[in-house]
Amino acid sequence: MTTITKTLQATFAPPTAHKQSKLNDLLDTYRDGLQEAFDAGASTMSAVSDIVTPYDLPYQAKAALCNYVPKLRKTYNAQELDDEHPIRLTNQAAKFDHSEERDYEFTWWVPRPGRGTNFWIPLRINPDQEDLWHGLVSEDAKAGEIRLQKHRKSWVLHVTVEYPVEEPATDGDATHIGLDIGETALITGCALKDGSPTDPFVCSGSRAKHLRKEMHTTLKRLQERDASEWRIEDRFLHYQNALTDIVEKASRQAVEYARQFENPVLVMEDLTYIRERLDYGKYMNRRLHSWAFAQLQGRIEDKATEAGIPVEYVNPAYTSQTCHSCHRIGRRDSQAEFRCPNDDCHVSTFQADINASANIARRVDPWGESVPLDKAERDDSSRDGRGCDTAMAHREKSVPAQMTLTAFQESEPSASVHETGGLVQPARTEGSGDDD
């Protein structure tokens, strides 16, 4: 048996005006406390506690801030905060209830500061995740961090959950397959065979990029024209559903790609703090922040688990800047091209995203040189705690074929797909019978 960590997603049934006000107050207060602690440079849990204690927040939020804020600068070198931070709560807030007699069978006990101020909120869950929601109610599954995010008028709850599964059988040596998640190329996959990149896979992100740009423009124009809220919300859900379709199709393609290899192991970057690490200017940050990196990775992990394919997560530092062969820091003269500066290396020019995915696959290898020695200020351990040895080791130089910029085919996700995954369906009228 092995333990799997998965993120469950649920959308609030439309709350009453009173509950909406409470939720907005909670979000505003949380972000104020987060901003003050970050601006003060608080680098220890006790320092954060001194700052956030006076705030009118539930203890589960204060404890989460004490754990989260020190990591932002010490571990992830964050220079500024994203404006759309979710509320983070410890697993002490994981109190759920279930009843078949309600229109919305699952409800969450929303924590509030003070005694007797908590309230129940009905949840619209993903039907594919229903068994794990039952596990949370019965405590057969262990809850981890909880995040509450507001998207316009919708509230989305994410709950990490750990549960035991049969460990996937691997006969012989594993084939590590790196998946690089991006914007221009939605997913770039590359398997390592004897240390060499093999049969790369690229899923285009052009349609997703177009939809995100169109969504931003459309919503901005509707707001400028003082369009009705229902019209704005309808357009927002239209684009979100279209993007979710793309996520479902792309994640399925990635897992199908992995299945062609013997004993596949998918390797992805731990993008938990992607919003804090991105700093490409206001325009690019908005575009990249709007892309659901975590949602795409989550759906890949879900489908891989169903297919019996193990998934590993590694530190993302310098994967796109390092030569996969000689491990020297190189340069990207363009978005699609990586150049190695080492004259003795057989790699001169390589497709940049494939180079990055090869580095991601190699990084899970405990004998691989995970981070260049002159850039080794970050810990490079995989998410399940297995350390990676960064000591230099002699390795025979492999000589794969040179990967040029046109040596792969892009695969465009289709516009529609029957799976719904994390699809947000239009809300029904609240009828759970919960009290304000």
Side-chain angles (χ1 to χ4, degrees):
M1 298 292 287
T2 186
T3 300
I4 294 292
T5 300
K6 188 173 183 178
T7 300
L8 305 184
Q9 177 175 307
T11 305
F12 285 6
T16 62
H18 184 54
K19 290 180 180 178
Q20 185 77 261
S21 176
K22 289 181 178 180
L23 290 168
N24 287 331
D25 289 344
L26 178 62
L27 179 61
D28 292 342
T29 305
Y30 177 89
R31 288 178 176 171
D32 288 345
L34 171 63
Q35 190 70 56
E36 182 178 348
F38 181 80
D39 291 343
S43 58
T44 64
M45 295 181 69
S46 60
V48 177
S49 179
D50 290 341
I51 294 172
V52 301
T53 294
Y55 280 83
D56 194 25
L57 289 169
Y59 69 90
Q60 300 95 330
K62 293 179 180 179
L65 282 170
C66 290
N67 181 61
Y68 176 63
V69 174
K71 294 179 181 178
L72 290 175
R73 280 203 172 96
K74 292 176 63 176
T75 306
Y76 296 96
N77 300 322
Q79 301 301 312
E80 61 181 19
L81 291 179
D82 175 43
D83 293 334
E84 301 300 320
H85 261 281
I87 300 171
R88 280 178 165 81
L89 302 161
T90 62
N91 62 358
Q92 294 166 307
K95 185 175 181 181
F96 302 94
D97 185 58
H98 175 262
S99 173
E100 295 181 353
E101 298 179 359
R102 292 191 292 254
D103 290 339
Y104 299 97
E105 296 184 9
F106 290 89
T107 56
W108 178 45
W109 189 235
V110 181
R112 290 274 299 158
R115 185 179 298 274
T117 58
N118 293 12
F119 59 89
W120 291 102
I121 196 81
L123 303 175
R124 294 185 283 124
I125 69 166
N126 178 355
D128 293 338
Q129 299 177 339
E130 184 173 353
D131 288 344
L132 288 176
W133 283 104
H134 281 292
L136 283 176
V137 173
S138 64
E139 298 185 354
D140 290 336
K142 182 181 178 182
E145 184 185 66
I146 295 174
R147 298 189 309 278
L148 179 60
Q149 180 73 59
K150 185 179 182 181
H151 298 293
R152 298 187 59 78
K153 286 191 173 182
S154 300
W155 293 86
V156 181
L157 185 71
H158 295 93
V159 184
T160 58
V161 58
E162 294 182 357
Y163 60 99
V165 296
E166 292 292 337
E167 189 165 4
T170 54
D171 300 324
D173 294 334
T175 301
H176 291 126
I177 302 165
L179 296 182
D180 183 47
I181 309 298
E183 189 191 31
T184 301
L186 201 58
I187 305 174
T188 304
C190 185
L192 287 189
K193 289 284 191 178
D194 299 323
S196 299
T198 304
D199 295 333
F201 153 78
V202 178
C203 179
S204 173
S206 59
R207 176 167 169 75
K209 184 191 297 186
H210 171 76
L211 283 173
R212 293 197 306 278
K213 181 178 180 180
E214 184 180 296
M215 177 176 68
H216 173 76
T217 302
T218 300
L219 296 180
K220 183 178 180 181
R221 287 175 178 173
L222 288 173
Q223 290 172 335
E224 289 173 348
R225 296 172 184 173
D226 293 325
S228 60
E229 285 295 333
W230 73 264
R231 175 64 175 167
I232 296 175
E233 191 71 17
D234 178 72
R235 287 290 83 196
F236 176 75
L237 289 177
H238 164 77
Y239 287 111
Q240 289 297 97
N241 291 346
L243 289 168
T244 300
D245 285 344
I246 293 175
V247 166
E248 291 299 319
K249 178 64 174 179
S251 57
R252 184 165 63 248
Q253 287 181 334
V255 173
E256 287 301 317
Y257 166 72
R259 291 170 70 106
Q260 68 179 296
F261 298 100
E262 186 176 0
N263 299 323
V265 175
L266 285 176
V267 187
M268 294 186 286
E269 295 175 312
D270 183 354
L271 300 177
T272 305
Y273 298 88
I274 184 67
R275 293 174 181 270
E276 281 69 46
R277 283 196 296 266
L278 289 172
D279 187 15
Y280 302 122
K282 183 177 181 180
Y283 174 69
M284 278 301 295
N285 278 352
R286 175 182 60 76
R287 289 172 57 193
L288 294 174
H289 287 177
S290 68
W291 177 236
F293 291 101
Q295 182 185 8
L296 180 55
Q297 284 191 331
R299 295 305 291 154
I300 292 173
E301 184 173 353
D302 289 346
K303 290 178 171 61
T305 301
E306 293 169 1
I309 299 175
V311 178
E312 300 279 358
Y313 287 86
V314 297
N315 190 299
Y318 311 108
T319 54
S320 64
Q321 304 171 39
T322 306
C323 175
H324 69 269
S325 180
C326 70
H327 318 321
R328 290 276 297 274
I329 292 290
R331 68 180 188 273
R332 295 179 68 162
D333 293 337
S334 68
Q335 178 64 26
E337 186 177 87
F338 171 83
R339 289 186 178 273
C340 179
N342 185 1
D343 293 336
D344 296 328
C345 179
H346 72 278
V347 173
S348 56
T349 301
F350 214 81
Q351 208 285 330
D353 293 327
I354 297 175
N355 178 72
S357 60
N359 281 323
I360 293 169
R362 179 177 56 85
R363 186 158 290 186
V364 80
D365 177 5
W367 297 106
E369 180 58 26
S370 300
V371 177
L373 293 180
D374 60 338
K375 298 286 186 179
E377 73 273 13
R378 295 186 183 186
D379 174 42
D380 185 37
S381 55
S382 54
R383 195 162 71 178
D384 65 0
R386 291 181 293 179
C388 291
D389 190 348
T390 57
M392 290 295 292
H394 173 73
R395 310 180 79 180
E396 294 295 329
K397 181 185 293 186
S398 59
V399 187
Q402 186 78 349
M403 180 64 65
T404 63
L405 300 182
T406 58
F408 65 91
Q409 293 290 329
E410 287 195 349
S411 174
E412 180 72 58
S414 64
S416 63
V417 65
H418 294 298
E419 296 181 49
T420 57
L423 184 65
V424 179
Q425 300 290 351
R428 293 183 290 169
T429 304
E430 182 176 355
S432 64
D434 62 314
D435 297 325
D436 286 332

